[in-house]
Coordinates of all heavy atoms in Angstrom, one line a residue:
G1450 N 2.9 -55.7 21.6 CA 3.1 -56.4 20.3 C 2.6 -57.8 20.4 O 2.3 -58.3 21.5
K1451 N 2.5 -58.4 19.3 CA 2.0 -59.8 19.2 C 3.2 -60.8 19.6 O 4.2 -60.7 19.0 CB 1.4 -60.2 17.9 CG 0.8 -61.5 17.8 CD 0.2 -61.8 16.4 CE -0.5 -63.1 16.4 NZ -1.1 -63.4 15.0
L1452 N 2.9 -61.6 20.6 CA 3.9 -62.5 21.1 C 4.0 -63.7 20.1 O 3.0 -64.3 19.7 CB 3.6 -63.0 22.5 CG 4.6 -64.0 23.1 CD1 5.9 -63.2 23.4 CD2 4.0 -64.5 24.4
Y1453 N 5.2 -64.1 19.7 CA 5.4 -65.3 18.9 C 6.7 -66.0 19.3 O 7.6 -65.4 19.9 CB 5.4 -65.0 17.4 CG 6.6 -64.4 16.8 CD1 7.5 -65.2 16.1 CD2 7.0 -63.1 17.0 CE1 8.7 -64.7 15.6 CE2 8.1 -62.5 16.5 CZ 9.0 -63.4 15.8 OH 10.1 -62.8 15.2
Q1454 N 6.8 -67.2 18.9 CA 8.0 -68.0 19.2 C 8.8 -68.3 18.0 O 8.3 -68.8 16.9 CB 7.6 -69.4 19.9 CG 8.8 -70.2 20.3 CD 8.4 -71.5 21.0 OE1 7.3 -71.9 20.8 NE2 9.3 -72.0 21.8
Y1461 N 11.1 -66.6 22.6 CA 9.9 -65.8 22.4 C 10.3 -64.3 22.2 O 11.3 -63.8 22.8 CB 9.0 -65.9 23.7 CG 8.2 -67.2 23.7 CD1 8.8 -68.3 24.5 CD2 7.0 -67.4 23.1 CE1 8.1 -69.5 24.5 CE2 6.3 -68.6 23.2 CZ 6.9 -69.6 23.9 OH 6.3 -70.8 24.0
R1462 N 9.5 -63.6 21.4 CA 9.7 -62.2 21.2 C 8.4 -61.5 20.7 O 7.4 -62.2 20.5 CB 10.8 -62.0 20.1 CG 10.4 -62.5 18.7 CD 11.6 -62.3 17.8 NE 12.7 -63.1 18.2 CZ 13.9 -63.1 17.6 NH1 14.1 -62.2 16.6 NH2 14.9 -63.8 18.0
L1463 N 8.4 -60.2 20.6 CA 7.3 -59.5 20.1 C 7.4 -59.2 18.6 O 8.5 -58.8 18.2 CB 7.1 -58.2 20.9 CG 6.8 -58.2 22.4 CD1 6.7 -56.8 22.9 CD2 5.5 -59.0 22.6
R1464 N 6.3 -59.4 17.9 CA 6.3 -59.1 16.5 C 5.9 -57.6 16.3 O 4.8 -57.3 16.8 CB 5.4 -60.0 15.7 CG 5.5 -59.9 14.2 CD 4.4 -60.7 13.5 NE 4.4 -62.1 14.0 CZ 5.1 -63.1 13.4 NH1 6.0 -62.8 12.4 NH2 5.0 -64.3 13.8

Side-chain angles (χ1 to χ4, degrees):
K1451 186 176 181 181
L1452 184 67
Y1453 79 100
Q1454 184 177 22
Y1461 287 92
R1462 64 183 65 186
L1463 294 180
R1464 190 189 304 275

